[in-house]
Amino acid sequence: MREIREALIDAHRAVGKTNPVAPSITNFVTVEFVANAQLAIGGSAAMVYLPDEGEAMCRLAKSIYINVGTLIPSHKETVPRTVKCARENAAYVLDPVAAGMGDLRTELLQYMKAYPPRIIRGNASEILTVAKLWGLIDGTSGKVRGVDATESVETARAAAEHLAAYIGGAVAVSGKEDLVTDGKRTVVSKGGSAYFTRITGSGCSLGGVAAVYLAVADPFVAALAATNAYNVAGKRAEAQARGTASFQVEFLDALSNLTAEDIAACEMEEV
């Protein structure tokens, strides 16, 4: 774990020094939260909607974040063009929100198998669904209730490891305790807050922050740095919050005040 902790410190310090931009095609409901979280951690944000913008950003930035939570007709062109360009020129983080719901979402996720992301971040049900959709595991339910998981993080471990090996990157499974794997190393990160499930955008913004770290670190370190940052900041914010609204404010403050050592000191264990 010492080597991992040192890599986390290096990643966070690199973000602070370089202020990397990580553009996003993201859920309309959570655009502001995603951008503010990226800024709080030391990165820079830019929101993308049009097909040519996605390609342009992939040539300018080292990483991009793609969230399929709220799709509109133009995404049918924007997302495929962007992921293809990102795979060829940069890297991208995928958040397969509500995977398995709707034809367009399924079509886009199937397309991504040929141009896979370097990081996939989702809840257990979403990770199971993507692994099944890509033919990496045999049948499993992976059902979602809206955008919420009906499966446990541990249930999704094998699927996450298969996905990570296939994409040559990392998968982060969010839950009461979070799991991050590159297919060879698997770490459980602890902390966070029960408030994460009571506000909009905690998962979406985590994906955006992972994209910031991906601009300066390898996928496993980037995914774990983002996850640890959320677990430390979430725990601190909950201690100060009076409810869901104040939690969001306290959380962004905690995120912006994190040190590299805080992220490396998050409670975690290899499993």
Side-chain angles (χ1 to χ4, degrees):
M1 291 295 287
R2 180 178 178 180
E3 182 180 345
I4 292 174
R5 293 184 192 279
E6 290 175 349
L8 294 172
I9 289 173
D10 289 343
H12 188 71
R13 288 177 177 171
V15 166
K17 290 178 181 178
T18 61
N19 184 226
V21 60
S24 301
I25 299 173
T26 192
N27 191 327
F28 295 147
V29 179
T30 63
V31 167
E32 184 178 4
F33 199 1
V34 171
N36 283 337
Q38 289 179 316
L39 293 169
I41 209 70
S44 185
M47 298 301 155
V48 177
Y49 300 100
L50 301 178
D52 59 332
E53 290 177 340
E55 290 180 324
M57 284 295 185
C58 288
R59 294 187 177 95
L60 293 174
K62 292 183 178 180
S63 62
I64 191 167
Y65 172 50
I66 298 178
N67 177 307
V68 297
T70 50
L71 297 173
I72 57 176
S74 62
H75 281 127
K76 189 170 185 178
E77 182 180 358
T78 300
V79 172
R81 285 176 60 175
T82 302
V83 301
K84 184 175 185 296
C85 186
R87 187 66 189 187
E88 294 170 351
N89 297 282
Y92 75 97
V93 175
L94 168 65
D95 193 330
V97 176
M101 295 180 67
D103 292 340
L104 178 56
R105 183 175 286 104
T106 298
E107 178 185 328
L108 293 175
L109 291 174
Q110 285 177 323
Y111 179 86
M112 292 177 192
K113 182 181 180 182
Y115 303 97
R118 299 307 308 281
I119 296 174
I120 301 176
R121 190 232 63 92
N123 64 41
S125 296
E126 291 160 350
I127 297 304
L128 283 162
T129 299
V130 173
K132 182 181 178 182
L133 182 66
W134 288 3
L136 303 179
I137 60 173
D138 293 329
T140 185
S141 64
K143 294 179 181 177
V144 294
R145 184 182 70 244
V147 297
D148 299 323
T150 60
E151 303 286 350
S152 69
V153 170
E154 182 56 34
T155 299
R157 176 177 176 175
E161 291 173 344
H162 282 297
L163 273 173
Y166 176 78
I167 68 176
V171 174
V173 189
S174 299
K176 290 183 178 179
E177 292 184 349
D178 303 314
L179 183 148
V180 179
T181 182
D182 63 1
K184 298 178 180 177
R185 297 170 294 178
T186 299
V187 171
V188 170
S189 175
K190 303 177 182 181
S193 169
Y195 279 120
F196 280 150
T197 63
R198 298 175 60 193
I199 63 172
T200 299
S202 57
C204 298
S205 59
L206 174 56
V209 168
V212 170
Y213 284 115
L214 185 59
V216 300
D218 70 65
F220 177 76
V221 171
L224 186 57
T227 301
N228 280 10
Y230 267 56
N231 280 334
V232 175
K235 187 175 182 178
R236 291 179 178 179
E238 184 177 288
Q240 301 297 322
R242 302 180 306 281
T244 54
S246 60
F247 173 77
Q248 292 183 72
V249 174
E250 295 290 350
F251 174 71
L252 288 173
D253 279 348
L255 203 60
S256 65
N257 288 317
L258 286 178
T259 67
E261 289 74 18
D262 290 333
I263 292 170
C266 178
E267 184 181 358
M268 56 182 175
E269 62 178 330
E270 287 192 75
V271 294

PDB file of all heavy atoms in Angstrom, residues 120-125 127-128 151-154 156-157 159-161 171-181 187 189 206 227:
ATOM      1  N   ILE A 120     -14.067   3.406 -15.858  1.00  0.00           N
ATOM      2  CA  ILE A 120     -15.519   3.332 -15.757  1.00  0.00           C
ATOM      3  C   ILE A 120     -15.880   3.505 -14.294  1.00  0.00           C
ATOM      4  O   ILE A 120     -15.327   2.829 -13.427  1.00  0.00           O
ATOM      5  CB  ILE A 120     -16.067   1.989 -16.268  1.00  0.00           C
ATOM      6  CG1 ILE A 120     -15.669   1.755 -17.731  1.00  0.00           C
ATOM      7  CG2 ILE A 120     -17.597   1.953 -16.121  1.00  0.00           C
ATOM      8  CD1 ILE A 120     -16.094   0.396 -18.268  1.00  0.00           C
ATOM      9  N   ARG A 121     -16.787   4.442 -14.014  1.00  0.00           N
ATOM     10  CA  ARG A 121     -17.245   4.656 -12.646  1.00  0.00           C
ATOM     11  C   ARG A 121     -18.767   4.529 -12.603  1.00  0.00           C
ATOM     12  O   ARG A 121     -19.496   5.168 -13.346  1.00  0.00           O
ATOM     13  CB  ARG A 121     -16.881   6.049 -12.147  1.00  0.00           C
ATOM     14  CG  ARG A 121     -17.138   6.196 -10.637  1.00  0.00           C
ATOM     15  CD  ARG A 121     -17.987   7.396 -10.262  1.00  0.00           C
ATOM     16  NE  ARG A 121     -19.322   7.392 -10.774  1.00  0.00           N
ATOM     17  CZ  ARG A 121     -20.406   6.901 -10.134  1.00  0.00           C
ATOM     18  NH1 ARG A 121     -20.283   6.304  -8.968  1.00  0.00           N
ATOM     19  NH2 ARG A 121     -21.609   6.994 -10.686  1.00  0.00           N
ATOM     20  N   GLY A 122     -19.250   3.646 -11.748  1.00  0.00           N
ATOM     21  CA  GLY A 122     -20.690   3.475 -11.654  1.00  0.00           C
ATOM     22  C   GLY A 122     -21.065   2.733 -10.389  1.00  0.00           C
ATOM     23  O   GLY A 122     -20.199   2.317  -9.610  1.00  0.00           O
ATOM     24  N   ASN A 123     -22.364   2.582 -10.166  1.00  0.00           N
ATOM     25  CA  ASN A 123     -22.784   1.748  -9.052  1.00  0.00           C
ATOM     26  C   ASN A 123     -22.736   0.282  -9.478  1.00  0.00           C
ATOM     27  O   ASN A 123     -22.460  -0.034 -10.639  1.00  0.00           O
ATOM     28  CB  ASN A 123     -24.170   2.170  -8.534  1.00  0.00           C
ATOM     29  CG  ASN A 123     -25.287   1.987  -9.546  1.00  0.00           C
ATOM     30  OD1 ASN A 123     -25.334   0.984 -10.267  1.00  0.00           O
ATOM     31  ND2 ASN A 123     -26.208   2.949  -9.594  1.00  0.00           N
ATOM     32  N   ALA A 124     -22.999  -0.597  -8.541  1.00  0.00           N
ATOM     33  CA  ALA A 124     -22.829  -2.028  -8.809  1.00  0.00           C
ATOM     34  C   ALA A 124     -23.716  -2.509  -9.955  1.00  0.00           C
ATOM     35  O   ALA A 124     -23.275  -3.274 -10.826  1.00  0.00           O
ATOM     36  CB  ALA A 124     -23.126  -2.823  -7.535  1.00  0.00           C
ATOM     37  N   SER A 125     -24.963  -2.067  -9.991  1.00  0.00           N
ATOM     38  CA  SER A 125     -25.880  -2.519 -11.034  1.00  0.00           C
ATOM     39  C   SER A 125     -25.422  -2.059 -12.410  1.00  0.00           C
ATOM     40  O   SER A 125     -25.515  -2.805 -13.397  1.00  0.00           O
ATOM     41  CB  SER A 125     -27.295  -2.007 -10.744  1.00  0.00           C
ATOM     42  OG  SER A 125     -27.790  -2.570  -9.552  1.00  0.00           O
ATOM     43  N   ILE A 127     -22.314  -1.363 -13.357  1.00  0.00           N
ATOM     44  CA  ILE A 127     -21.105  -2.100 -13.737  1.00  0.00           C
ATOM     45  C   ILE A 127     -21.464  -3.503 -14.211  1.00  0.00           C
ATOM     46  O   ILE A 127     -20.945  -3.994 -15.233  1.00  0.00           O
ATOM     47  CB  ILE A 127     -20.120  -2.160 -12.552  1.00  0.00           C
ATOM     48  CG1 ILE A 127     -19.647  -0.748 -12.163  1.00  0.00           C
ATOM     49  CG2 ILE A 127     -18.926  -3.057 -12.884  1.00  0.00           C
ATOM     50  CD1 ILE A 127     -19.020   0.055 -13.295  1.00  0.00           C
ATOM     51  N   LEU A 128     -22.361  -4.168 -13.514  1.00  0.00           N
ATOM     52  CA  LEU A 128     -22.811  -5.492 -13.933  1.00  0.00           C
ATOM     53  C   LEU A 128     -23.469  -5.442 -15.313  1.00  0.00           C
ATOM     54  O   LEU A 128     -23.225  -6.307 -16.161  1.00  0.00           O
ATOM     55  CB  LEU A 128     -23.801  -6.050 -12.911  1.00  0.00           C
ATOM     56  CG  LEU A 128     -23.182  -6.596 -11.619  1.00  0.00           C
ATOM     57  CD1 LEU A 128     -24.258  -6.708 -10.533  1.00  0.00           C
ATOM     58  CD2 LEU A 128     -22.533  -7.952 -11.862  1.00  0.00           C
ATOM     59  N   GLU A 151     -27.873  -3.953  -6.623  1.00  0.00           N
ATOM     60  CA  GLU A 151     -26.868  -4.979  -6.329  1.00  0.00           C
ATOM     61  C   GLU A 151     -25.806  -4.392  -5.402  1.00  0.00           C
ATOM     62  O   GLU A 151     -25.587  -3.179  -5.347  1.00  0.00           O
ATOM     63  CB  GLU A 151     -26.204  -5.458  -7.628  1.00  0.00           C
ATOM     64  CG  GLU A 151     -27.171  -6.004  -8.666  1.00  0.00           C
ATOM     65  CD  GLU A 151     -27.712  -7.374  -8.324  1.00  0.00           C
ATOM     66  OE1 GLU A 151     -27.197  -7.996  -7.371  1.00  0.00           O
ATOM     67  OE2 GLU A 151     -28.654  -7.822  -8.997  1.00  0.00           O
ATOM     68  N   SER A 152     -25.095  -5.245  -4.672  1.00  0.00           N
ATOM     69  CA  SER A 152     -24.050  -4.793  -3.765  1.00  0.00           C
ATOM     70  C   SER A 152     -22.727  -4.632  -4.492  1.00  0.00           C
ATOM     71  O   SER A 152     -22.516  -5.211  -5.563  1.00  0.00           O
ATOM     72  CB  SER A 152     -23.870  -5.800  -2.624  1.00  0.00           C
ATOM     73  OG  SER A 152     -23.300  -7.006  -3.117  1.00  0.00           O
ATOM     74  N   VAL A 153     -21.842  -3.842  -3.912  1.00  0.00           N
ATOM     75  CA  VAL A 153     -20.521  -3.633  -4.498  1.00  0.00           C
ATOM     76  C   VAL A 153     -19.779  -4.953  -4.638  1.00  0.00           C
ATOM     77  O   VAL A 153     -19.160  -5.230  -5.678  1.00  0.00           O
ATOM     78  CB  VAL A 153     -19.707  -2.633  -3.646  1.00  0.00           C
ATOM     79  CG1 VAL A 153     -18.251  -2.599  -4.092  1.00  0.00           C
ATOM     80  CG2 VAL A 153     -20.325  -1.238  -3.747  1.00  0.00           C
ATOM     81  N   GLU A 154     -19.819  -5.785  -3.622  1.00  0.00           N
ATOM     82  CA  GLU A 154     -19.096  -7.063  -3.667  1.00  0.00           C
ATOM     83  C   GLU A 154     -19.629  -7.951  -4.785  1.00  0.00           C
ATOM     84  O   GLU A 154     -18.869  -8.666  -5.443  1.00  0.00           O
ATOM     85  CB  GLU A 154     -19.199  -7.781  -2.319  1.00  0.00           C
ATOM     86  CG  GLU A 154     -18.444  -9.107  -2.256  1.00  0.00           C
ATOM     87  CD  GLU A 154     -16.960  -8.988  -2.595  1.00  0.00           C
ATOM     88  OE1 GLU A 154     -16.351  -7.951  -2.278  1.00  0.00           O
ATOM     89  OE2 GLU A 154     -16.413  -9.947  -3.190  1.00  0.00           O
ATOM     90  N   ALA A 156     -20.550  -7.028  -7.601  1.00  0.00           N
ATOM     91  CA  ALA A 156     -20.034  -6.525  -8.878  1.00  0.00           C
ATOM     92  C   ALA A 156     -18.522  -6.657  -9.004  1.00  0.00           C
ATOM     93  O   ALA A 156     -17.964  -6.270 -10.032  1.00  0.00           O
ATOM     94  CB  ALA A 156     -20.426  -5.061  -9.044  1.00  0.00           C
ATOM     95  N   ARG A 157     -17.866  -7.220  -8.008  1.00  0.00           N
ATOM     96  CA  ARG A 157     -16.402  -7.256  -8.049  1.00  0.00           C
ATOM     97  C   ARG A 157     -15.861  -7.993  -9.272  1.00  0.00           C
ATOM     98  O   ARG A 157     -14.982  -7.468  -9.981  1.00  0.00           O
ATOM     99  CB  ARG A 157     -15.842  -7.896  -6.776  1.00  0.00           C
ATOM    100  CG  ARG A 157     -14.322  -8.037  -6.817  1.00  0.00           C
ATOM    101  CD  ARG A 157     -13.736  -8.599  -5.559  1.00  0.00           C
ATOM    102  NE  ARG A 157     -12.292  -8.804  -5.704  1.00  0.00           N
ATOM    103  CZ  ARG A 157     -11.486  -9.202  -4.716  1.00  0.00           C
ATOM    104  NH1 ARG A 157     -11.988  -9.422  -3.509  1.00  0.00           N
ATOM    105  NH2 ARG A 157     -10.203  -9.374  -4.940  1.00  0.00           N
ATOM    106  N   ALA A 159     -17.265  -8.620 -12.128  1.00  0.00           N
ATOM    107  CA  ALA A 159     -17.584  -7.858 -13.336  1.00  0.00           C
ATOM    108  C   ALA A 159     -16.646  -6.675 -13.482  1.00  0.00           C
ATOM    109  O   ALA A 159     -16.160  -6.377 -14.585  1.00  0.00           O
ATOM    110  CB  ALA A 159     -19.031  -7.383 -13.289  1.00  0.00           C
ATOM    111  N   ALA A 160     -16.364  -5.994 -12.376  1.00  0.00           N
ATOM    112  CA  ALA A 160     -15.469  -4.833 -12.405  1.00  0.00           C
ATOM    113  C   ALA A 160     -14.065  -5.245 -12.823  1.00  0.00           C
ATOM    114  O   ALA A 160     -13.409  -4.556 -13.627  1.00  0.00           O
ATOM    115  CB  ALA A 160     -15.437  -4.164 -11.034  1.00  0.00           C
ATOM    116  N   GLU A 161     -13.592  -6.365 -12.302  1.00  0.00           N
ATOM    117  CA  GLU A 161     -12.250  -6.829 -12.652  1.00  0.00           C
ATOM    118  C   GLU A 161     -12.164  -7.236 -14.116  1.00  0.00           C
ATOM    119  O   GLU A 161     -11.165  -6.961 -14.788  1.00  0.00           O
ATOM    120  CB  GLU A 161     -11.848  -7.969 -11.712  1.00  0.00           C
ATOM    121  CG  GLU A 161     -11.624  -7.484 -10.273  1.00  0.00           C
ATOM    122  CD  GLU A 161     -11.384  -8.605  -9.279  1.00  0.00           C
ATOM    123  OE1 GLU A 161     -11.686  -9.783  -9.599  1.00  0.00           O
ATOM    124  OE2 GLU A 161     -10.907  -8.300  -8.167  1.00  0.00           O
ATOM    125  N   VAL A 171     -11.746   0.375 -12.979  1.00  0.00           N
ATOM    126  CA  VAL A 171     -13.178   0.480 -12.727  1.00  0.00           C
ATOM    127  C   VAL A 171     -13.380   0.824 -11.259  1.00  0.00           C
ATOM    128  O   VAL A 171     -12.759   0.228 -10.380  1.00  0.00           O
ATOM    129  CB  VAL A 171     -13.907  -0.838 -13.066  1.00  0.00           C
ATOM    130  CG1 VAL A 171     -15.372  -0.768 -12.656  1.00  0.00           C
ATOM    131  CG2 VAL A 171     -13.791  -1.144 -14.555  1.00  0.00           C
ATOM    132  N   ALA A 172     -14.240   1.813 -11.012  1.00  0.00           N
ATOM    133  CA  ALA A 172     -14.585   2.210  -9.647  1.00  0.00           C
ATOM    134  C   ALA A 172     -16.062   1.918  -9.428  1.00  0.00           C
ATOM    135  O   ALA A 172     -16.907   2.409 -10.186  1.00  0.00           O
ATOM    136  CB  ALA A 172     -14.296   3.689  -9.428  1.00  0.00           C
ATOM    137  N   VAL A 173     -16.349   1.114  -8.415  1.00  0.00           N
ATOM    138  CA  VAL A 173     -17.725   0.757  -8.083  1.00  0.00           C
ATOM    139  C   VAL A 173     -18.102   1.482  -6.797  1.00  0.00           C
ATOM    140  O   VAL A 173     -17.485   1.276  -5.749  1.00  0.00           O
ATOM    141  CB  VAL A 173     -17.894  -0.759  -7.888  1.00  0.00           C
ATOM    142  CG1 VAL A 173     -19.374  -1.110  -7.768  1.00  0.00           C
ATOM    143  CG2 VAL A 173     -17.244  -1.535  -9.024  1.00  0.00           C
ATOM    144  N   SER A 174     -19.105   2.336  -6.882  1.00  0.00           N
ATOM    145  CA  SER A 174     -19.499   3.145  -5.733  1.00  0.00           C
ATOM    146  C   SER A 174     -20.584   2.463  -4.917  1.00  0.00           C
ATOM    147  O   SER A 174     -21.515   1.872  -5.471  1.00  0.00           O
ATOM    148  CB  SER A 174     -20.006   4.512  -6.204  1.00  0.00           C
ATOM    149  OG  SER A 174     -18.999   5.218  -6.888  1.00  0.00           O
ATOM    150  N   GLY A 175     -20.469   2.566  -3.593  1.00  0.00           N
ATOM    151  CA  GLY A 175     -21.451   1.988  -2.695  1.00  0.00           C
ATOM    152  C   GLY A 175     -21.155   2.429  -1.277  1.00  0.00           C
ATOM    153  O   GLY A 175     -20.485   3.437  -1.057  1.00  0.00           O
ATOM    154  N   LYS A 176     -21.639   1.682  -0.294  1.00  0.00           N
ATOM    155  CA  LYS A 176     -21.348   2.031   1.099  1.00  0.00           C
ATOM    156  C   LYS A 176     -19.844   2.007   1.337  1.00  0.00           C
ATOM    157  O   LYS A 176     -19.308   2.821   2.097  1.00  0.00           O
ATOM    158  CB  LYS A 176     -22.070   1.064   2.042  1.00  0.00           C
ATOM    159  CG  LYS A 176     -23.584   1.253   2.054  1.00  0.00           C
ATOM    160  CD  LYS A 176     -24.248   0.330   3.061  1.00  0.00           C
ATOM    161  CE  LYS A 176     -25.751   0.563   3.090  1.00  0.00           C
ATOM    162  NZ  LYS A 176     -26.438  -0.339   4.057  1.00  0.00           N
ATOM    163  N   GLU A 177     -19.181   1.034   0.753  1.00  0.00           N
ATOM    164  CA  GLU A 177     -17.723   1.018   0.657  1.00  0.00           C
ATOM    165  C   GLU A 177     -17.406   0.892  -0.818  1.00  0.00           C
ATOM    166  O   GLU A 177     -18.066   0.148  -1.539  1.00  0.00           O
ATOM    167  CB  GLU A 177     -17.118  -0.146   1.458  1.00  0.00           C
ATOM    168  CG  GLU A 177     -17.273   0.006   2.955  1.00  0.00           C
ATOM    169  CD  GLU A 177     -16.585  -1.104   3.729  1.00  0.00           C
ATOM    170  OE1 GLU A 177     -16.169  -2.109   3.099  1.00  0.00           O
ATOM    171  OE2 GLU A 177     -16.464  -0.983   4.960  1.00  0.00           O
ATOM    172  N   ASP A 178     -16.426   1.639  -1.290  1.00  0.00           N
ATOM    173  CA  ASP A 178     -16.148   1.711  -2.721  1.00  0.00           C
ATOM    174  C   ASP A 178     -15.023   0.763  -3.110  1.00  0.00           C
ATOM    175  O   ASP A 178     -14.070   0.569  -2.352  1.00  0.00           O
ATOM    176  CB  ASP A 178     -15.770   3.141  -3.106  1.00  0.00           C
ATOM    177  CG  ASP A 178     -16.845   4.132  -2.720  1.00  0.00           C
ATOM    178  OD1 ASP A 178     -18.017   3.858  -2.991  1.00  0.00           O
ATOM    179  OD2 ASP A 178     -16.516   5.184  -2.126  1.00  0.00           O
ATOM    180  N   LEU A 179     -15.135   0.207  -4.303  1.00  0.00           N
ATOM    181  CA  LEU A 179     -14.144  -0.728  -4.817  1.00  0.00           C
ATOM    182  C   LEU A 179     -13.512  -0.148  -6.074  1.00  0.00           C
ATOM    183  O   LEU A 179     -14.217   0.338  -6.960  1.00  0.00           O
ATOM    184  CB  LEU A 179     -14.813  -2.062  -5.108  1.00  0.00           C
ATOM    185  CG  LEU A 179     -13.939  -3.225  -5.588  1.00  0.00           C
ATOM    186  CD1 LEU A 179     -14.534  -4.542  -5.084  1.00  0.00           C
ATOM    187  CD2 LEU A 179     -13.855  -3.271  -7.119  1.00  0.00           C
ATOM    188  N   VAL A 180     -12.179  -0.184  -6.129  1.00  0.00           N
ATOM    189  CA  VAL A 180     -11.441   0.290  -7.303  1.00  0.00           C
ATOM    190  C   VAL A 180     -10.492  -0.816  -7.741  1.00  0.00           C
ATOM    191  O   VAL A 180      -9.755  -1.373  -6.924  1.00  0.00           O
ATOM    192  CB  VAL A 180     -10.641   1.574  -6.996  1.00  0.00           C
ATOM    193  CG1 VAL A 180      -9.857   2.027  -8.230  1.00  0.00           C
ATOM    194  CG2 VAL A 180     -11.575   2.684  -6.525  1.00  0.00           C
ATOM    195  N   THR A 181     -10.515  -1.148  -9.033  1.00  0.00           N
ATOM    196  CA  THR A 181      -9.682  -2.243  -9.522  1.00  0.00           C
ATOM    197  C   THR A 181      -9.125  -1.952 -10.907  1.00  0.00           C
ATOM    198  O   THR A 181      -9.748  -1.232 -11.696  1.00  0.00           O
ATOM    199  CB  THR A 181     -10.485  -3.563  -9.572  1.00  0.00           C
ATOM    200  OG1 THR A 181      -9.635  -4.629 -10.020  1.00  0.00           O
ATOM    201  CG2 THR A 181     -11.680  -3.461 -10.509  1.00  0.00           C
ATOM    202  N   VAL A 187      -8.791  -2.560  -4.553  1.00  0.00           N
ATOM    203  CA  VAL A 187      -8.728  -1.846  -3.281  1.00  0.00           C
ATOM    204  C   VAL A 187     -10.130  -1.413  -2.872  1.00  0.00           C
ATOM    205  O   VAL A 187     -10.911  -0.936  -3.699  1.00  0.00           O
ATOM    206  CB  VAL A 187      -7.817  -0.610  -3.393  1.00  0.00           C
ATOM    207  CG1 VAL A 187      -7.909   0.262  -2.133  1.00  0.00           C
ATOM    208  CG2 VAL A 187      -6.366  -1.030  -3.624  1.00  0.00           C
ATOM    209  N   SER A 189     -12.057   1.304  -0.646  1.00  0.00           N
ATOM    210  CA  SER A 189     -11.874   2.617  -0.033  1.00  0.00           C
ATOM    211  C   SER A 189     -13.071   2.912   0.860  1.00  0.00           C
ATOM    212  O   SER A 189     -14.221   2.721   0.447  1.00  0.00           O
ATOM    213  CB  SER A 189     -11.733   3.686  -1.126  1.00  0.00           C
ATOM    214  OG  SER A 189     -11.664   4.987  -0.571  1.00  0.00           O
ATOM    215  N   LEU A 206     -18.136  12.692  -9.068  1.00  0.00           N
ATOM    216  CA  LEU A 206     -16.993  11.817  -8.826  1.00  0.00           C
ATOM    217  C   LEU A 206     -16.349  11.403 -10.141  1.00  0.00           C
ATOM    218  O   LEU A 206     -15.122  11.371 -10.269  1.00  0.00           O
ATOM    219  CB  LEU A 206     -17.433  10.591  -8.029  1.00  0.00           C
ATOM    220  CG  LEU A 206     -16.401   9.485  -7.811  1.00  0.00           C
ATOM    221  CD1 LEU A 206     -15.140  10.009  -7.146  1.00  0.00           C
ATOM    222  CD2 LEU A 206     -17.015   8.341  -6.991  1.00  0.00           C
ATOM    223  N   THR A 227     -11.840   8.604  -5.690  1.00  0.00           N
ATOM    224  CA  THR A 227     -12.668   7.891  -4.718  1.00  0.00           C
ATOM    225  C   THR A 227     -12.267   8.239  -3.294  1.00  0.00           C
ATOM    226  O   THR A 227     -13.114   8.513  -2.435  1.00  0.00           O
ATOM    227  CB  THR A 227     -12.571   6.380  -4.953  1.00  0.00           C
ATOM    228  OG1 THR A 227     -13.012   6.084  -6.285  1.00  0.00           O
ATOM    229  CG2 THR A 227     -13.416   5.606  -3.959  1.00  0.00           C
TER     230      THR A 227
END
